[in-house]
Amino acid sequence: MRYESLHNLRIPKIGFGTWTIGGKICADYAQDARSLTALRSALEQGYTHFDTAEAYAAGHAEELLGRVIRASGLRREALFVTSKVSPEHLGYEDIRRSCENSLRRLGMDYIDLYLIHWPRRGMNLAEAFRALNKLVTDGKVRHLGVSNFNLKLLEEAVALSDTTLLTNQVSYSLPDRTCVKNGVLAYCQENDILLTAYSPVKPRFIRGNKPLQALAKRRGVTPQQIALAWLVRQPRVITIPMSFNPQHQAENLAAADMDLTESELIHFEK
Ligand SMILES: NC(=O)c1ccc[n+]([C@@H]2O[C@H](COP(=O)([O-])OP(=O)(O)OC[C@H]3O[C@@H](n4cnc5c(N)ncnc54)[C@H](OP(=O)(O)O)[C@@H]3O)[C@@H](O)[C@H]2O)c1
């Protein structure tokens, strides 16, 4: 596994997403067995960064993740857990309550990385960071970050965070290069902020992309692995693909160690 090293941390280039673990917007308890199997398999295969949110399955993704981690017997310090506060909970007391609820569902006494999931029009970002900074000083949260922030909001967040802002989590993939066009990626790279790429796999794009499929065939890997390798070869970029399928999970993890040559990269210039 390759890592990003910054601020005395080593974060794996490829972590594990949990959107649809335990349900989607609502908890779907009928899917628990499938979700628990997927999480156990991810842990056994060596994923150490897990990305979740209070919004995922209305908190049930956090419950299942916590359950599997506790049962694994792994040391808490061996894992890196990201969770997120929802945009409707950005008031001072709301953030503190959301964090307590996430900690209770996870069964943990701290969260490694806590993000504002989405900005909200009219939000008081200074007030939100007053609460987030307090969570860090109280030891409930180790690092702060944001998600879906444009460049202007990201700069504001950096200025308001008492500790170094660790990440902006945004959609980034071969077909979605918004963060390149809007300057967010360059800003992150210039300021040692991780860009966590979500939705990196995009099945429909992959199915329709003949050059990508041909390159994967030549290399003896899958197109999804090429898509992930393209992301994580970029400085300060990490990603968090999600899969219920143990074979896909293993392939995704292995993609972190793949190299792409300059001539192969020509396929992906835009
Ligand atoms: N901050 C935000 O607003 C935000 C938004 C979206 C997502 N996220 C986070 O990012 C994570 C990843 O994004 P995502 O879940 O939207 O999309 P994703 O990981 O790009 O795609 C997931 C889909 O791709 C398939 N897949 C994954 N690896 C594969 C492989 N090697 N071969 C074939 N198919 C593969 C999975 O199917 P199988 O199960 O069949 O493998 C699943 O249907 C989420 O789980 C969540 O933690 C954050």
Side-chain angles (χ1 to χ4, degrees):
M1 173 56 65
R2 288 191 179 136
Y3 294 83
E4 275 296 326
S5 297
L6 76 178
H7 316 310
N8 291 325
L9 287 169
R10 252 172 109 237
I11 317 261
K13 279 285 201 178
I14 296 197
F16 192 79
T18 64
W19 167 239
T20 68
I21 289 284
K24 289 186 175 169
I25 292 168
C26 301
D28 179 0
Y29 298 99
Q31 295 295 320
D32 275 10
R34 182 171 179 249
S35 296
L36 289 166
T37 303
L39 289 170
R40 274 188 213 110
S41 155
L43 264 184
E44 281 162 17
Q45 303 209 33
Y47 284 89
T48 56
H49 175 198
F50 289 83
D51 177 82
T52 190
E54 65 170 343
Y56 294 175
H60 193 44
E62 291 179 325
E63 284 170 350
L64 295 176
L65 178 62
R67 204 189 298 174
V68 167
I69 288 177
R70 283 194 305 282
S72 74
L74 286 166
R75 283 180 308 115
R76 173 68 185 85
E77 305 75 53
L79 299 171
F80 190 89
V81 175
T82 297
S83 193
K84 316 184 191 82
V85 56
S86 298
E88 62 273 25
H89 297 151
L90 295 183
Y92 185 87
E93 288 303 334
D94 299 314
I95 288 186
R96 296 183 59 74
R97 197 174 312 116
S98 282
C99 183
E100 285 298 345
N101 286 335
S102 286
L103 287 169
R104 178 180 43 76
R105 287 188 294 260
L106 286 161
M108 294 175 181
D109 50 18
Y110 68 90
I111 293 169
D112 294 276
L113 175 58
Y114 199 46
L115 314 181
I116 295 179
H117 202 152
W118 287 87
R120 191 175 41 121
R121 197 181 290 276
M123 68 183 171
N124 184 338
L125 198 59
E127 184 76 346
F129 267 93
R130 202 164 64 80
L132 292 168
N133 289 328
K134 181 79 165 59
L135 289 174
V136 176
T137 50
D138 288 351
K140 309 273 183 194
V141 162
R142 296 261 162 103
H143 304 277
L144 298 176
V146 293
S147 178
N148 301 298
F149 272 38
N150 64 23
L151 185 54
K152 181 171 169 291
L153 283 174
L154 178 59
E155 285 172 333
E156 282 177 32
V158 166
L160 288 167
S161 183
D162 288 347
T163 48
T164 315
L165 199 85
L166 198 63
T167 195
N168 187 14
Q169 184 179 124
V170 296
S171 174
Y172 186 30
S173 60
L174 282 167
D176 183 356
R177 305 197 193 182
T178 309
C179 66
V180 179
K181 294 187 196 114
N182 66 14
V184 163
L185 176 61
Y187 179 84
C188 286
Q189 289 173 327
E190 283 156 18
N191 291 280
D192 284 338
I193 296 168
L194 293 177
L195 187 134
T196 306
Y198 73 66
S199 303
V201 167
K202 298 280 184 210
R204 205 176 312 147
F205 166 81
I206 286 177
R207 274 196 298 277
N209 192 307
K210 295 277 174 280
L212 179 61
Q213 288 169 13
L215 173 59
K217 201 165 174 203
R218 269 203 308 283
R219 291 283 305 255
V221 296
T222 69
Q224 287 81 2
Q225 287 179 294
I226 302 273
L228 295 172
W230 174 81
L231 277 172
V232 301
R233 61 174 295 286
Q234 303 174 46
R236 296 308 186 213
V237 176
I238 65 169
T239 188
I240 44 170
M242 191 278 158
S243 175
F244 282 98
N245 180 321
Q247 188 182 331
H248 294 169
Q249 293 176 353
E251 288 166 358
N252 293 349
L253 211 50
D257 296 319
M258 280 175 53
D259 285 314
L260 294 171
T261 66
E262 288 305 316
S263 60
E264 288 170 335
L265 287 168
I266 287 169
H267 294 294
F268 310 122
E269 277 172 10
K270 255 198 172 173

